[in-house]
């Protein structure tokens, strides 16, 4: 049987890769993928904890996260398309209409 | 579950159900009715019905924990709901004419405001981290769309994009924090976490601490605390001005509601640990907000930095870690809503067809042509600075007093010092209005709903400044009950 710590380590590594990708990538779609990676790493750790603790709460939260992530993806891509119609770029460095 | 119990639990979330239903009705009504005023009026009426439902529940009920400990109805959540209702009404009043000028007067706009507020209400009433997350996402997803509602304007698109990416990033942090806390304590219930921390004796556990830090980071994003404030100036500048007013109050109040509840109820035993994070954050937030605002030439950006600084002041009440401290924070939030929405209402009144009216130069000599609007702006600017007899002074006074009472004298000194710095950029607008000659003629857009919002906010800023005890007692009894 795989011990809990392996799952938690996997989830921590995935989350870190996601954070790194979010901060270092320059392409909006890849940033979006990094976000999904972060959410899925949380799902892994929640399911692992849920199994280890023998409580259903974690798995219930996972279902909510998957649902909300789908809604989030729909809204995020819609915003991206609305953006792309006015300024056809998906490079982060060119999104600098406002300084910040 | 038996039927009577089920019905009882449903009545507890009647205000939320009302707002969601009214939101759906607005979406349908948008197909049938051409005049947006009708939709706005229905939206306000629905909010008033929800307000009445909350009032009824507040009068007749003891604190209730319903839906298997997921949802709590107590004075604390009810007071936050009051803030959210007033915020909806003021926002709808200031946006009616404005959204027509921006050519983005969609019916969805009003529905989304109601949906976002429902999310905030669930956050304020969350007794479980799962419902907290769902409420936060309902609020966040609706406000992402609202920020980008002016589809034809690149600035608005960019604001929505930045808000979306950083908001989603912060919710991932929240989830990671929840998962760590859940793993260590074996529960997601906010009250049971506190019990588990004691019974498992893991108050000093570094992983629990890490989970708490992740959650504070996520709440910090929503509240726009430095160093998680990077999105705020851009989003506040690019979003429609009415939505900027809505966003600078609603999500901030909801963020403080959950922050107060999670830190006080779950991690109450770890006050030393969370203060070691929050104290530096508060100092940086106040400093960054006050200093960078000095360099701004766009008034929406300046108000964004000002809202960051105000979030820092509000944090002092949480740092105090007592019920009185929380009272001062909530009191500040209520006052901040009136003065901030009021200031944005004045900014909106300068916007007209073909004229943005967002630069500081546009305010030059405003007092000569428009003495009343200038006088109102003067009141709001004085209040934001914290000059008596306006409400802003009362808000600041109580949070700083709580910082002193809890033994954080240096925090109080820092807060007062930066309050003086902030006087520069607030009073600069007053100086522009009264002591400079106008560069070009500025005609104001006015409408009866905008005037109503201005009248209410000004009246409240002055009344709460002169008679502060009424609001303070209300907050105190709500939090105690």
């Amino acid at each position: 049987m795989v011990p809990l710590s392996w799952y938690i380590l996997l989830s921590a590594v995935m989350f870190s890769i996601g954070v790194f990708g979010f901060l270092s990538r320059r392409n909006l779609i890849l940033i979006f993928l990094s976000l999904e990676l972060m959410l899925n790493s949380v799902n892994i750790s929640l399911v692992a904890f849920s199994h280890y603790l023998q409580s259903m709460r974690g798995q219930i939260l996972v279902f909510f996260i998957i649902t909300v992530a789908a809604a989030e993806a729909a809204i995020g891509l819609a915003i991206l398309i609305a953006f792309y119609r006015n300024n056809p770029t998906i490079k982060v460095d060119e999104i600098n209409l406002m300084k910040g | 579950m038996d039927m009577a119990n089920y019905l009882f639990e449903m009545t507890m979330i009647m205000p939320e159900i009302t707002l969601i239903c009214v939101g759906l009705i607005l979406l349908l009504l948008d197909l049938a009715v051409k005049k947006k005023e009708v939709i706005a009026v229905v939206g306000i009426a629905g909010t008033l019905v929800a307000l009445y439902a909350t009032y009824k529940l507040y009068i007749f009920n003891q604190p209730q924990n319903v839906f298997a400990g997921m949802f709590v109805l107590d004075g604390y959540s009810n007071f936050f709901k009051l803030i959210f209702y007033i915020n909806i009404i003021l926002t709808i009043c200031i946006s009616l004419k404005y959204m027509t000028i921006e050519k983005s007067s969609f019916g969805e706009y009003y529905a989304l405001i109601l949906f976002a507020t429902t999310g905030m209400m669930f956050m304020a009433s969350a007794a479980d981290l799962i419902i907290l997350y769902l409420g936060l996402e309902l609020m966040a997803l609706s406000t992402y769309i609202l920020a980008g509602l002016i589809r034809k304007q690149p600035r608005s698109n960019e604001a929505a994009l930045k808000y979306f990416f950083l908001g989603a990033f912060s919710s991932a942090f929240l989830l990671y924090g929840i998962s760590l806390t859940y793993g260590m304590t074996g529960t997601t219930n906010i009250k049971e976490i506190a019990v588990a921390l004691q019974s498992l004796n893991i108050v000093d556990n570094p992983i629990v601490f890490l989970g708490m830090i992740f959650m504070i980071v996520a709440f910090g994003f929503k509240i726009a605390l430095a160093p998680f404030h990077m999105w705020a100036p851009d989003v506040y500048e690019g979003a429609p001005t009415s939505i900027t007013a809505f966003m600078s109050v609603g999500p901030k109040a909801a963020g403080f509601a959950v922050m107060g509840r999670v830190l006080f109820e779950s991690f109450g035993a770890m006050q030393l640990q969370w203060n070691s994070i929050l104290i530096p954050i508060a100092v940086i937030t106040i400093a960054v907000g006050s200093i960078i605002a000095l360099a701004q030439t766009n008034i929406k950006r300046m108000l964004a930095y000002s809202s960051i600084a105000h979030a820092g002041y509000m944090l002092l009440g949480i740092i105090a870690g007592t019920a009185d401290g929380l009272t001062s924070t909530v009191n500040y939030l209520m006052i901040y809503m009136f003065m901030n929405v009021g200031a944005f209402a004045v900014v909106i009144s300068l916007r007209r067809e073909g004229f943005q009216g967002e630069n500081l130069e546009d305010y030059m000599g405003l007092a000569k042509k428009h003495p009343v609007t200038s006088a109102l702006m003067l009141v709001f600017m004085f209040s934001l600075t914290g000059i008596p007899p306006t409400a802003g002074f009362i808000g600041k006074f109580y949070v700083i007093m709580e910082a002193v009472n809890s033994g954080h004298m240096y925090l109080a000194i820092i807060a007062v010092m930066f309050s003086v710095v902030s006087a520069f950029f607030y009073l600069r607008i007053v100086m522009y209005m009264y002591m400079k000659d106008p560069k070009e003629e500025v005609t104001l857009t006015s409408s009866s709903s905008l005037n109503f919002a201005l009248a209410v906010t000004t009246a409240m800023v002055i009344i709460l400044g002169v008679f502060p005890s009424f609001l303070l007692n209300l907050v105190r009894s709500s939090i105690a009950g």
Side-chain angles (χ1 to χ4, degrees):
Chain A
M1 182 172 148
V2 185
L4 173 72
S5 56
W6 290 22
Y7 287 109
I8 304 310
L9 205 64
L10 172 68
S11 138
V13 169
M14 263 175 79
F15 191 81
S16 312
I17 294 174
V19 172
F20 180 75
F22 184 90
L23 298 174
S24 66
R25 287 286 153 186
R26 286 284 159 263
N27 182 310
L28 282 176
I29 301 295
L30 284 174
I31 292 179
F32 205 84
L33 280 176
S34 307
L35 274 177
E36 295 293 323
L37 193 64
M38 287 165 75
L39 290 180
N40 282 328
S41 79
V42 173
N43 287 348
I44 289 179
S45 80
L46 277 172
V47 172
F49 277 133
S50 175
H51 181 72
Y52 174 76
L53 294 164
Q54 290 298 311
S55 101
M56 286 309 287
R57 276 174 190 267
Q59 297 190 36
I60 292 168
L61 181 52
V62 167
F63 277 107
F64 281 122
I65 294 174
I66 294 172
T67 321
V68 171
E72 204 163 39
I75 285 175
L77 291 174
I79 289 175
L80 221 120
I81 287 173
F83 175 80
Y84 191 78
R85 280 192 181 142
N86 286 328
N87 7 356
T89 177
I90 50 167
K91 296 212 180 73
V92 174
D93 299 316
E94 291 167 20
I95 307 176
N96 51 6
L97 212 57
M98 293 168 288
K99 53 193 172 182
Chain B
M1 194 198 305
D2 62 300
M3 201 63 198
N5 194 16
Y6 185 67
L7 280 176
F8 171 73
E9 298 202 333
M10 289 306 261
T11 51
M12 293 295 121
I13 57 165
M14 221 50 215
E16 284 84 356
I17 294 179
T18 314
L19 278 194
I20 287 285
C21 289
V22 172
L24 294 174
I25 290 170
L26 291 188
L27 286 178
L28 288 176
L29 208 61
D30 186 37
L31 300 173
V33 182
K34 274 278 175 303
K35 282 175 78 108
K36 298 301 173 224
E37 285 80 0
V38 179
I39 295 176
V41 167
V42 174
I44 291 178
T47 312
L48 290 176
V49 173
L51 175 64
Y52 179 71
T54 298
Y55 171 74
K56 279 283 186 202
L57 293 172
Y58 178 69
I59 295 278
F60 288 111
N61 280 303
Q62 296 296 312
Q64 297 285 345
N65 231 322
V66 289
F67 292 106
M70 285 273 165
F71 187 91
V72 63
L73 201 82
D74 52 5
Y76 180 72
S77 58
N78 277 328
F79 193 82
F80 272 102
K81 286 174 191 175
L82 178 65
I83 296 183
F84 300 145
Y85 295 138
I86 301 175
N87 190 27
I88 301 184
I89 295 173
L90 289 177
T91 307
I92 291 182
C93 284
I94 63 176
S95 36
L96 250 177
K97 185 90 183 238
Y98 172 75
M99 291 312 277
T100 324
I101 294 175
E102 295 283 3
K103 298 194 183 60
S104 300
S105 188
F106 307 117
E108 296 92 352
Y109 175 85
Y110 303 99
L112 283 169
I113 287 181
L114 295 190
F115 292 149
T117 307
T118 315
M120 294 171 204
M121 288 161 66
F122 273 114
M123 282 167 82
S125 278
D128 195 289
L129 295 176
I130 296 178
I131 211 83
L132 188 158
Y133 168 68
L134 289 176
L136 188 132
E137 285 295 331
L138 178 57
M139 171 191 89
L141 294 179
S142 313
T143 34
Y144 300 151
I145 306 174
L146 285 171
L149 207 72
I150 311 179
R151 280 207 311 265
K152 296 269 169 355
Q153 201 185 76
R155 218 170 51 146
S156 178
N157 299 148
E158 191 179 316
L161 202 65
K162 285 179 174 166
Y163 195 23
F164 170 75
F165 276 107
L166 289 171
F169 189 58
S170 79
S171 31
F173 272 90
L174 173 71
L175 285 171
Y176 203 71
I178 291 177
S179 101
L180 289 181
T181 314
Y182 168 66
M184 295 311 290
T185 59
T187 178
T188 51
N189 188 297
I190 288 177
K191 278 233 166 66
E192 283 171 20
I193 287 173
V195 177
L197 284 180
Q198 296 295 344
S199 64
L200 300 172
N201 199 14
I202 45 173
V203 172
D204 291 324
N205 189 306
I207 296 183
V208 175
F209 186 44
L210 193 66
M212 189 186 70
I213 293 178
F214 273 121
M215 282 195 236
I216 291 180
V217 168
F219 300 150
F221 263 106
K222 290 286 167 239
I223 303 172
L225 297 173
F228 321 113
H229 67 287
M230 297 313 205
W231 59 273
D234 281 5
V235 174
Y236 283 19
E237 184 187 339
T241 312
S242 49
I243 288 309
T244 309
F246 178 75
M247 274 195 313
S248 65
V249 175
K252 202 184 284 281
F256 270 107
V258 289
M259 194 175 210
R261 199 184 283 282
V262 169
L263 290 185
F264 279 67
E265 288 190 5
S266 296
F267 299 111
M270 298 171 68
Q271 208 202 332
L272 275 180
Q273 281 104 314
W274 47 262
N275 263 355
S276 69
I277 309 286
L278 288 185
I279 289 175
I281 286 184
V283 173
I284 301 172
T285 307
I286 296 175
V288 165
S290 307
I291 292 173
I292 304 187
L294 297 175
Q296 302 308 320
T297 52
N298 180 303
I299 190 159
K300 277 165 82 177
R301 249 186 127 72
M302 192 209 87
L303 285 172
Y305 280 106
S306 123
S307 99
I308 293 170
H310 282 285
Y313 294 119
M314 291 172 207
L315 202 57
L316 297 184
I318 302 234
I319 288 171
T322 54
D324 278 344
L326 202 56
T327 306
S328 69
T329 297
V330 179
N331 181 46
Y332 199 136
L333 270 167
M334 188 68 151
I335 289 171
Y336 172 75
M337 171 175 68
F338 287 115
M339 56 195 189
N340 202 49
V341 174
F344 276 111
V346 174
V347 176
I348 279 182
S349 70
L350 259 74
R351 174 83 169 99
R352 63 164 199 275
E353 213 78 52
F355 180 70
Q356 287 286 339
E358 288 173 12
N359 290 323
L360 292 187
E361 281 91 45
D362 298 334
Y363 287 81
M364 278 184 181
L366 197 69
K368 297 218 167 57
K369 192 94 188 292
H370 307 285
V372 179
T373 308
S374 304
L376 296 183
M377 194 60 167
L378 176 102
V379 171
F380 298 132
M381 287 300 131
F382 274 18
S383 182
L384 285 165
T385 320
I387 297 174
T390 52
F393 167 72
I394 302 297
K396 254 181 202 161
F397 176 78
Y398 280 109
V399 286
I400 290 173
M401 195 177 78
E402 289 308 327
V404 173
N405 283 349
S406 60
H408 300 290
M409 186 60 96
Y410 55 97
L411 273 180
I413 294 171
I414 292 172
V416 173
M417 266 167 42
F418 280 107
S419 193
V420 175
V421 174
S422 73
F424 175 79
F425 58 83
Y426 290 128
L427 298 186
R428 181 170 56 187
I429 293 183
V430 175
M431 192 267 284
Y432 271 43
M433 287 190 307
Y434 282 90
M435 297 173 196
K436 294 227 174 176
D437 288 323
K439 246 178 24 184
E440 55 177 321
E441 285 294 296
V442 174
T443 34
L444 295 184
T445 313
S446 97
S447 64
S448 48
S449 61
L450 185 64
N451 291 345
F452 170 74
L454 276 171
V456 170
T457 48
T458 320
M460 291 309 281
V461 164
I462 291 171
I463 292 171
L464 294 178
V466 180
F467 306 105
S469 58
F470 171 70
L471 177 64
L472 203 69
N473 289 337
L474 184 66
V475 180
R476 193 169 284 146
S477 64
S478 298
I479 287 180

